[in-house]
Amino acid sequence: MRQMTLVAFLQAQNCTNLPSSWRHPQSRSDAWSADYYRHIGRVLEEGKFHLGFFDDRLSMPDMYGRDHEHTVRHGIRCVKMDAVTVLTVMGMATERLGLGATYSTSYYEPFHVARLFATLDLMTNGRAAWNVVTSLNDGEAQNMGCEQVIEHDLRYDRADEFMEVVLGHWDSWEDDAIVQDKAAGLFAKPEKVHRLDHKGRFFRSRGPFTVPRSPQGRPVIIQAGQSGRGKRFGAQWGELIFVVYPNIAAAKRDYAEFKAEVATCGRDPEHVKITQLINTVAAASRIEAEDKWAVISKLPLEIDALSLLSEALNFDFSTKEMDEPFTDEEMAAISGLQAIRDRVVRASGNKNPTVRDFIHFSGRGRVHDAIVGGPKEICDQLEQWLVERVRGLRPFRRTRAPAPWLVPERLCGQNPARESGGAHPAASRMGRHARTRAARWSWLSQV
């Protein structure tokens, strides 16, 4: 029986993925408190989610107008805390929930990232996941001591080697290395702890690594690259892939193509989960959900979209008039999330879209294509994605969870996965550099 994977897409910031969510009359105002994230963790675990995952950037969205004034004034993701630190708070408040955080390959050393996530994996009893990103805009580069972001494809070339080093360190302790024989005075077998001695184009890292393996072997690898180069990177390294398919027909095509790419990389396609972005507005009945949607849909401002588009595409949208087309040169120069650029071109049917086209077709700054309804309406649409051979889904609740206007549905047993019979998430396995497949993602079997 095929089963559904539920991942909550979170932000360690002053708002959710919907930047205007902080303005909702029922939103909590303590998004930088430990209690806020403990509550989120408990809600997700009780709601049978497999994973709580934090997206992250290393700068405010201040590319628009090259100034942070609008960002701070309108609360457009202007607070961004360290996601790994937040995850430790959630980890201490939960027992089974998987915990994922974003970390960049462009501004850290592989040894540091390997040690950070291996430690998190041990402290959460094998529940950690790392979302691998290459970073995408000049603001992040300038915060981290560089003038501008690395060229798009070169970022991924660098990330490929980064992954080799991280995985090499994670595999340098054999499973039975630690013996702790107090009588003999032997802590671990030296022949079972290895030095990496990596010397490559971008990195040098000696070892030996300083963190032993966790109950799941090593952290799970998450990836979300949707450009051509990003997809190749995800096929090579990813175990959980985040995607934004516009509809089921396109999803079936792209899903099959990506799985084929995974096989081309010499990996088992069944060991890679693909999770679709899903927005839901849920309530006990469709009428109540529509009332909620009426409030939510009035929250976004135009500046939200303009700010987030500038950030994501690494292009200052304030330099263009609303109905002014982008030139061929400007389109080619976009170095951020090229998948957004390509998606707008496809959806608009215009190779030179306007600013208005980008706002409309990208969905940035607002809840896009939301499923609005009671348990049955939402469950039926989620299951449709599953049965159409688009494996798994990522229910993306664009709210400041656990805001009062989200949580009661979950607590009242309205979680669609719980109401969907055979689609309820249960034991599911995958693996790469692991002890056994049964040891990987053990938290998937504990929900």
mmCIF file of all heavy atoms in Angstrom, residues 306-329:
data_model
loop_
_atom_site.group_PDB
_atom_site.id
_atom_site.type_symbol
_atom_site.label_atom_id
_atom_site.label_comp_id
_atom_site.label_asym_id
_atom_site.label_seq_id
_atom_site.Cartn_x
_atom_site.Cartn_y
_atom_site.Cartn_z
ATOM 1 N N LEU A 306 6.762 42.076 -4.562
ATOM 2 C CA LEU A 306 7.900 42.743 -5.188
ATOM 3 C C LEU A 306 9.185 42.497 -4.390
ATOM 4 O O LEU A 306 10.254 42.264 -4.968
ATOM 5 C CB LEU A 306 7.632 44.239 -5.298
ATOM 6 C CG LEU A 306 6.535 44.652 -6.289
ATOM 7 C CD1 LEU A 306 6.187 46.122 -6.111
ATOM 8 C CD2 LEU A 306 6.973 44.369 -7.724
ATOM 9 N N SER A 307 9.086 42.532 -3.086
ATOM 10 C CA SER A 307 10.258 42.308 -2.237
ATOM 11 C C SER A 307 10.758 40.877 -2.362
ATOM 12 O O SER A 307 11.960 40.632 -2.517
ATOM 13 C CB SER A 307 9.912 42.619 -0.784
ATOM 14 O OG SER A 307 11.031 42.428 0.050
ATOM 15 N N LEU A 308 9.835 39.905 -2.298
ATOM 16 C CA LEU A 308 10.245 38.499 -2.341
ATOM 17 C C LEU A 308 10.711 38.085 -3.730
ATOM 18 O O LEU A 308 11.588 37.223 -3.861
ATOM 19 C CB LEU A 308 9.100 37.609 -1.876
ATOM 20 C CG LEU A 308 8.686 37.793 -0.402
ATOM 21 C CD1 LEU A 308 7.604 36.786 -0.030
ATOM 22 C CD2 LEU A 308 9.884 37.645 0.522
ATOM 23 N N LEU A 309 10.137 38.661 -4.778
ATOM 24 C CA LEU A 309 10.631 38.381 -6.129
ATOM 25 C C LEU A 309 12.050 38.922 -6.295
ATOM 26 O O LEU A 309 12.927 38.239 -6.871
ATOM 27 C CB LEU A 309 9.705 39.007 -7.173
ATOM 28 C CG LEU A 309 8.419 38.243 -7.472
ATOM 29 C CD1 LEU A 309 7.451 39.108 -8.273
ATOM 30 C CD2 LEU A 309 8.721 36.943 -8.232
ATOM 31 N N SER A 310 12.293 40.126 -5.822
ATOM 32 C CA SER A 310 13.640 40.704 -5.922
ATOM 33 C C SER A 310 14.649 39.839 -5.181
ATOM 34 O O SER A 310 15.765 39.591 -5.673
ATOM 35 C CB SER A 310 13.641 42.123 -5.345
ATOM 36 O OG SER A 310 12.795 42.983 -6.076
ATOM 37 N N GLU A 311 14.265 39.373 -3.995
ATOM 38 C CA GLU A 311 15.153 38.526 -3.205
ATOM 39 C C GLU A 311 15.437 37.211 -3.908
ATOM 40 O O GLU A 311 16.595 36.786 -4.044
ATOM 41 C CB GLU A 311 14.509 38.243 -1.839
ATOM 42 C CG GLU A 311 15.285 37.247 -0.997
ATOM 43 C CD GLU A 311 14.426 36.547 0.049
ATOM 44 O OE1 GLU A 311 13.264 36.231 -0.251
ATOM 45 O OE2 GLU A 311 14.937 36.307 1.138
ATOM 46 N N ALA A 312 14.383 36.533 -4.354
ATOM 47 C CA ALA A 312 14.535 35.186 -4.896
ATOM 48 C C ALA A 312 15.242 35.166 -6.248
ATOM 49 O O ALA A 312 15.972 34.226 -6.566
ATOM 50 C CB ALA A 312 13.164 34.516 -5.016
ATOM 51 N N LEU A 313 15.012 36.201 -7.068
ATOM 52 C CA LEU A 313 15.599 36.226 -8.408
ATOM 53 C C LEU A 313 16.901 37.021 -8.469
ATOM 54 O O LEU A 313 17.546 37.077 -9.520
ATOM 55 C CB LEU A 313 14.592 36.804 -9.400
ATOM 56 C CG LEU A 313 13.297 35.989 -9.555
ATOM 57 C CD1 LEU A 313 12.329 36.665 -10.512
ATOM 58 C CD2 LEU A 313 13.601 34.576 -10.035
ATOM 59 N N ASN A 314 17.285 37.638 -7.332
ATOM 60 C CA ASN A 314 18.504 38.448 -7.283
ATOM 61 C C ASN A 314 18.472 39.544 -8.345
ATOM 62 O O ASN A 314 19.451 39.808 -9.046
ATOM 63 C CB ASN A 314 19.755 37.578 -7.460
ATOM 64 C CG ASN A 314 21.014 38.265 -6.935
ATOM 65 O OD1 ASN A 314 20.962 39.009 -5.956
ATOM 66 N ND2 ASN A 314 22.144 38.022 -7.597
ATOM 67 N N PHE A 315 17.299 40.201 -8.425
ATOM 68 C CA PHE A 315 17.090 41.275 -9.400
ATOM 69 C C PHE A 315 16.213 42.336 -8.739
ATOM 70 O O PHE A 315 15.174 42.016 -8.155
ATOM 71 C CB PHE A 315 16.396 40.736 -10.658
ATOM 72 C CG PHE A 315 16.202 41.776 -11.731
ATOM 73 C CD1 PHE A 315 17.138 41.933 -12.741
ATOM 74 C CD2 PHE A 315 15.086 42.612 -11.725
ATOM 75 C CE1 PHE A 315 16.968 42.899 -13.731
ATOM 76 C CE2 PHE A 315 14.905 43.583 -12.708
ATOM 77 C CZ PHE A 315 15.852 43.721 -13.712
ATOM 78 N N ASP A 316 16.608 43.587 -8.843
ATOM 79 C CA ASP A 316 15.872 44.676 -8.202
ATOM 80 C C ASP A 316 14.661 45.062 -9.048
ATOM 81 O O ASP A 316 14.785 45.756 -10.057
ATOM 82 C CB ASP A 316 16.801 45.877 -8.025
ATOM 83 C CG ASP A 316 16.128 47.030 -7.288
ATOM 84 O OD1 ASP A 316 14.950 46.891 -6.896
ATOM 85 O OD2 ASP A 316 16.791 48.069 -7.117
ATOM 86 N N PHE A 317 13.480 44.607 -8.624
ATOM 87 C CA PHE A 317 12.253 44.871 -9.377
ATOM 88 C C PHE A 317 11.842 46.344 -9.317
ATOM 89 O O PHE A 317 10.976 46.762 -10.088
ATOM 90 C CB PHE A 317 11.117 43.981 -8.864
ATOM 91 C CG PHE A 317 11.061 42.633 -9.539
ATOM 92 C CD1 PHE A 317 12.109 41.736 -9.413
ATOM 93 C CD2 PHE A 317 9.965 42.268 -10.301
ATOM 94 C CE1 PHE A 317 12.070 40.487 -10.036
ATOM 95 C CE2 PHE A 317 9.908 41.037 -10.929
ATOM 96 C CZ PHE A 317 10.967 40.144 -10.801
ATOM 97 N N SER A 318 12.451 47.135 -8.436
ATOM 98 C CA SER A 318 12.104 48.563 -8.386
ATOM 99 C C SER A 318 12.630 49.312 -9.610
ATOM 100 O O SER A 318 12.224 50.452 -9.853
ATOM 101 C CB SER A 318 12.662 49.204 -7.113
ATOM 102 O OG SER A 318 14.068 49.368 -7.177
ATOM 103 N N THR A 319 13.493 48.686 -10.372
ATOM 104 C CA THR A 319 14.047 49.336 -11.563
ATOM 105 C C THR A 319 13.133 49.196 -12.777
ATOM 106 O O THR A 319 13.445 49.747 -13.845
ATOM 107 C CB THR A 319 15.421 48.733 -11.910
ATOM 108 O OG1 THR A 319 15.263 47.336 -12.222
ATOM 109 C CG2 THR A 319 16.390 48.877 -10.744
ATOM 110 N N LYS A 320 12.010 48.483 -12.628
ATOM 111 C CA LYS A 320 11.101 48.245 -13.749
ATOM 112 C C LYS A 320 9.725 48.822 -13.449
ATOM 113 O O LYS A 320 9.268 48.813 -12.306
ATOM 114 C CB LYS A 320 10.958 46.736 -14.003
ATOM 115 C CG LYS A 320 12.263 45.984 -14.205
ATOM 116 C CD LYS A 320 12.860 46.234 -15.569
ATOM 117 C CE LYS A 320 12.042 45.603 -16.673
ATOM 118 N NZ LYS A 320 12.679 45.786 -17.998
ATOM 119 N N GLU A 321 9.049 49.311 -14.488
ATOM 120 C CA GLU A 321 7.647 49.691 -14.367
ATOM 121 C C GLU A 321 6.779 48.435 -14.331
ATOM 122 O O GLU A 321 7.176 47.374 -14.811
ATOM 123 C CB GLU A 321 7.226 50.584 -15.534
ATOM 124 C CG GLU A 321 7.961 51.918 -15.604
ATOM 125 C CD GLU A 321 7.664 52.802 -14.419
ATOM 126 O OE1 GLU A 321 6.540 52.702 -13.874
ATOM 127 O OE2 GLU A 321 8.539 53.606 -14.034
ATOM 128 N N MET A 322 5.563 48.566 -13.794
ATOM 129 C CA MET A 322 4.716 47.405 -13.581
ATOM 130 C C MET A 322 4.434 46.631 -14.876
ATOM 131 O O MET A 322 4.424 45.396 -14.887
ATOM 132 C CB MET A 322 3.399 47.835 -12.933
ATOM 133 C CG MET A 322 2.520 46.672 -12.496
ATOM 134 S SD MET A 322 3.261 45.609 -11.219
ATOM 135 C CE MET A 322 3.299 46.734 -9.821
ATOM 136 N N ASP A 323 4.224 47.319 -15.967
ATOM 137 C CA ASP A 323 3.893 46.651 -17.235
ATOM 138 C C ASP A 323 5.032 46.712 -18.247
ATOM 139 O O ASP A 323 4.825 46.538 -19.457
ATOM 140 C CB ASP A 323 2.625 47.276 -17.831
ATOM 141 C CG ASP A 323 1.396 47.007 -16.971
ATOM 142 O OD1 ASP A 323 1.153 45.820 -16.674
ATOM 143 O OD2 ASP A 323 0.717 47.968 -16.571
ATOM 144 N N GLU A 324 6.232 46.919 -17.765
ATOM 145 C CA GLU A 324 7.411 46.945 -18.628
ATOM 146 C C GLU A 324 7.976 45.538 -18.780
ATOM 147 O O GLU A 324 8.300 44.882 -17.791
ATOM 148 C CB GLU A 324 8.470 47.867 -18.020
ATOM 149 C CG GLU A 324 9.746 47.955 -18.835
ATOM 150 C CD GLU A 324 10.806 48.787 -18.128
ATOM 151 O OE1 GLU A 324 10.500 49.335 -17.038
ATOM 152 O OE2 GLU A 324 11.927 48.873 -18.664
ATOM 153 N N PRO A 325 8.124 45.042 -20.004
ATOM 154 C CA PRO A 325 8.672 43.691 -20.197
ATOM 155 C C PRO A 325 10.151 43.629 -19.805
ATOM 156 O O PRO A 325 10.896 44.604 -19.956
ATOM 157 C CB PRO A 325 8.496 43.443 -21.696
ATOM 158 C CG PRO A 325 7.515 44.464 -22.165
ATOM 159 C CD PRO A 325 7.705 45.654 -21.283
ATOM 160 N N PHE A 326 10.564 42.479 -19.336
ATOM 161 C CA PHE A 326 11.979 42.216 -19.122
ATOM 162 C C PHE A 326 12.637 41.977 -20.473
ATOM 163 O O PHE A 326 12.076 41.301 -21.335
ATOM 164 C CB PHE A 326 12.166 40.988 -18.227
ATOM 165 C CG PHE A 326 12.051 41.264 -16.757
ATOM 166 C CD1 PHE A 326 10.840 41.650 -16.196
ATOM 167 C CD2 PHE A 326 13.153 41.134 -15.930
ATOM 168 C CE1 PHE A 326 10.735 41.900 -14.837
ATOM 169 C CE2 PHE A 326 13.059 41.385 -14.576
ATOM 170 C CZ PHE A 326 11.845 41.769 -14.026
ATOM 171 N N THR A 327 13.814 42.495 -20.641
ATOM 172 C CA THR A 327 14.543 42.271 -21.885
ATOM 173 C C THR A 327 15.162 40.873 -21.874
ATOM 174 O O THR A 327 15.258 40.217 -20.829
ATOM 175 C CB THR A 327 15.665 43.300 -22.056
ATOM 176 O OG1 THR A 327 16.657 43.089 -21.021
ATOM 177 C CG2 THR A 327 15.124 44.721 -21.961
ATOM 178 N N ASP A 328 15.595 40.414 -23.027
ATOM 179 C CA ASP A 328 16.275 39.119 -23.108
ATOM 180 C C ASP A 328 17.508 39.105 -22.219
ATOM 181 O O ASP A 328 17.801 38.101 -21.543
ATOM 182 C CB ASP A 328 16.682 38.824 -24.558
ATOM 183 C CG ASP A 328 15.497 38.553 -25.467
ATOM 184 O OD1 ASP A 328 14.405 38.240 -24.941
ATOM 185 O OD2 ASP A 328 15.658 38.650 -26.700
ATOM 186 N N GLU A 329 18.232 40.220 -22.205
ATOM 187 C CA GLU A 329 19.448 40.300 -21.405
ATOM 188 C C GLU A 329 19.127 40.224 -19.912
ATOM 189 O O GLU A 329 19.834 39.548 -19.141
ATOM 190 C CB GLU A 329 20.193 41.608 -21.707
ATOM 191 C CG GLU A 329 20.789 41.695 -23.108
ATOM 192 C CD GLU A 329 19.748 41.944 -24.187
ATOM 193 O OE1 GLU A 329 18.613 42.373 -23.838
ATOM 194 O OE2 GLU A 329 20.045 41.702 -25.366
#
